[in-house]
Amino acid sequence: MKKKKVLLATSGGDCPGLNAVIRSFVKRASVEGNWEVWGSMRSFNGLLGQPQDLRLLDTKVVSGIHEKGGTILGTTKRSGPFNWPVKQPDGTYTYLDRSDEMIRMCREIGFDAVVNIGGDGSQAMSQRLFEKGLNIVGVPKTIDNDLGATDVTFGFQSAVDVATEAVDRLVSTAESHNRILVLEVMGKMAGWIALHAAVAGGAEICLIPEIPYDMKKIKHFLETRFEGGKKFAVVAVAEGAMPKGGEALGTKINDLSSVHLEGAAQRFAAELRALDLEPGIRVTILGHVQRGGTPVPYDRVLASQYGVKAFELVLEKKFGHMVAYRSPDVISVPIAEAVGKPKLVDPSSYLVHTAKSINICFGD
Ligand code: F6P
């Protein structure tokens, strides 16, 4: 009997748990017996590139990969079927829409479905491909936890684990030296990683984009703390944090208007120095350490559920849908509902209330 074929790709920034999705998807597919799972390397570059790089994923290939960080399929943020970069003689790039060609190629090769594992931007791409007629299913991922329609994305808990350990470590050295140590964490325009790490690690100040800070409030908080005898503090700063009336700091990284957020912690440290407080001030930028490495068990479990569910959506021909977690169930939602509305920290949430109740200052 002719086997059915499904193509799997990981798109956008990597995050811990991608390999657990790939493994559980392949294992679930193998139970059916009449499916071949193929992987497109580096997102859809494997399909669209010259030469093509498509790999057959069987249970042997995916054996034991659930505990590995990154993605065995590789990924990219820089290209896709709607914006395929073409280098010009002067070194600049123009971008081609190759989406029709991609859909035609999928039909010619005989892929019955495509599964795109990615964050907000990647799922917006899935939705556009679906609207053009591609049988596509989405799987959400991002350490930022900022995707709507799902309670949580895998990768987030692993990032929080790393960020919390960083806070823990900074606390002991801050106390030994009587210093203010400022830690910048990722999260784009969402403060989830900073907030969770601040509560879990016991930071004194937490700055997130959803709550712009006022240096007068920060000064008052620190002076009160120092007068009380504790002459050190740890600050968890989300990379998108901003002062009241200010903006997030970043640079455009290409002409597709992606922004690389950078400088929030350094700006805050400069603002702190201008207050002439007694303790010395140092900055730590945690960066991609948060995104690499082994997924924590929670992310492996969630990712494994997503992989199984994604294959079942393919079986049910529930295209244009994305798997999602609504405690305690793994469900599916239309991709269109999931993209474009980032899930941000609600300043009136119980988690922010909890943080404030344990004396974490947001500067508001
Ligand atoms: O979206 C995930 C994320 O890690 C963000 O937290 C961060 O702003 C961005 O990606 C970093 O991107 P890059 O890997 O391109 O530097």
Side-chain angles (χ1 to χ4, degrees):
M1 189 175 52
K2 191 167 168 270
K3 289 203 169 185
K4 293 188 157 210
K5 286 185 183 175
V6 54
L7 182 70
L8 210 57
T10 48
S11 306
D14 70 340
C15 89
L18 287 168
N19 286 326
V21 177
I22 297 167
R23 171 175 168 269
S24 68
F25 187 95
V26 170
K27 285 190 167 224
R28 176 64 184 84
S30 75
V31 173
E32 296 301 312
N34 60 335
W35 280 87
E36 265 179 10
V37 183
W38 287 80
S40 172
M41 297 306 291
R42 300 190 69 232
S43 185
F44 293 112
N45 288 13
L47 179 67
L48 293 169
Q50 286 269 338
Q52 273 190 335
D53 196 356
L54 303 174
R55 303 198 188 167
L56 185 60
L57 302 174
D58 59 18
T59 50
K60 272 200 199 112
V61 173
V62 301
S63 175
I65 63 170
H66 57 292
E67 58 175 301
K68 293 192 170 67
T71 159
I72 61 160
L73 296 178
T75 187
T76 179
K77 286 179 147 185
R78 292 289 171 92
S79 54
F82 292 98
N83 50 27
W84 187 262
V86 182
K87 198 167 185 179
Q88 301 302 303
D90 65 358
T92 60
Y93 283 88
T94 55
Y95 293 88
L96 273 185
D97 181 350
R98 296 183 64 193
S99 55
D100 290 330
E101 189 188 344
M102 172 178 157
I103 294 169
R104 203 171 49 246
M105 284 168 118
C106 284
R107 288 194 185 126
E108 280 165 12
I109 298 171
F111 289 126
D112 297 278
V114 173
V115 175
N116 190 18
I117 312 170
D120 193 50
S122 307
Q123 297 312 337
M125 171 170 90
S126 305
Q127 175 62 20
R128 290 176 72 189
L129 289 167
F130 172 66
E131 284 165 11
K132 289 190 142 207
L134 188 68
N135 293 341
I136 192 163
V137 160
V139 177
K141 65 91 228 177
T142 168
I143 63 164
D144 303 335
N145 198 35
D146 62 348
L147 260 178
T150 182
D151 287 358
V152 67
T153 49
F154 65 85
F156 171 63
Q157 288 298 338
S158 302
V160 168
D161 207 54
V162 174
T164 302
E165 188 186 342
V167 173
D168 289 347
R169 288 175 181 273
L170 290 175
V171 168
S172 63
T173 173
E175 183 166 17
S176 304
H177 282 267
N178 278 345
R179 278 177 171 161
I180 305 175
L181 296 182
V182 181
L183 172 72
E184 182 176 300
V185 299
M186 283 183 166
K188 276 202 301 227
M189 293 314 293
W192 293 109
I193 298 175
L195 177 57
H196 279 246
V199 171
E204 281 67 42
I205 298 175
C206 178
L207 305 180
I208 58 175
E210 296 87 342
I211 308 180
Y213 59 90
D214 176 346
M215 283 312 285
K216 282 198 217 81
K217 301 276 173 58
I218 302 280
K219 182 169 190 262
H220 176 71
F221 173 84
L222 287 173
E223 282 173 349
T224 311
R225 175 174 168 83
F226 298 160
E227 276 158 29
K230 290 195 166 175
K231 293 207 164 21
F232 70 95
V234 171
V235 187
V237 184
E239 61 183 353
M242 64 194 84
K244 279 199 170 125
E247 284 182 355
L249 292 178
T251 43
K252 263 191 159 191
I253 49 171
N254 59 30
D255 38 2
L256 295 173
S257 57
S258 306
V259 171
H260 172 60
L261 292 170
E262 194 172 37
Q266 294 290 4
R267 168 170 64 186
F268 181 68
E271 290 165 337
L272 271 181
R273 288 189 181 105
L275 297 180
D276 266 339
L277 298 163
E278 204 184 306
I281 296 156
R282 298 284 189 278
V283 171
T284 302
I285 316 275
L286 206 48
H288 291 79
V289 173
Q290 293 156 97
R291 234 169 64 190
T294 306
V296 297
Y298 180 93
D299 284 335
R300 296 183 205 183
V301 173
L302 183 61
S304 298
Q305 293 185 87
Y306 278 2
V308 168
K309 184 70 175 180
F311 183 74
E312 288 171 355
L313 293 187
V314 169
L315 272 187
E316 292 162 27
K317 298 190 169 38
K318 225 166 163 191
F319 303 121
H321 277 66
M322 183 187 93
V323 306
Y325 180 61
R326 296 266 174 80
S327 179
D329 299 314
V330 176
I331 60 162
S332 72
V333 294
I335 299 173
E337 270 177 30
V339 296
K341 286 166 278 174
K343 182 183 67 186
L344 301 178
V345 172
D346 177 356
S348 61
S349 63
Y350 203 78
L351 184 53
V352 173
H353 166 69
T354 299
K356 288 183 173 176
S357 303
I358 57 175
N359 207 24
I360 294 177
C361 171
F362 288 81
D364 59 336

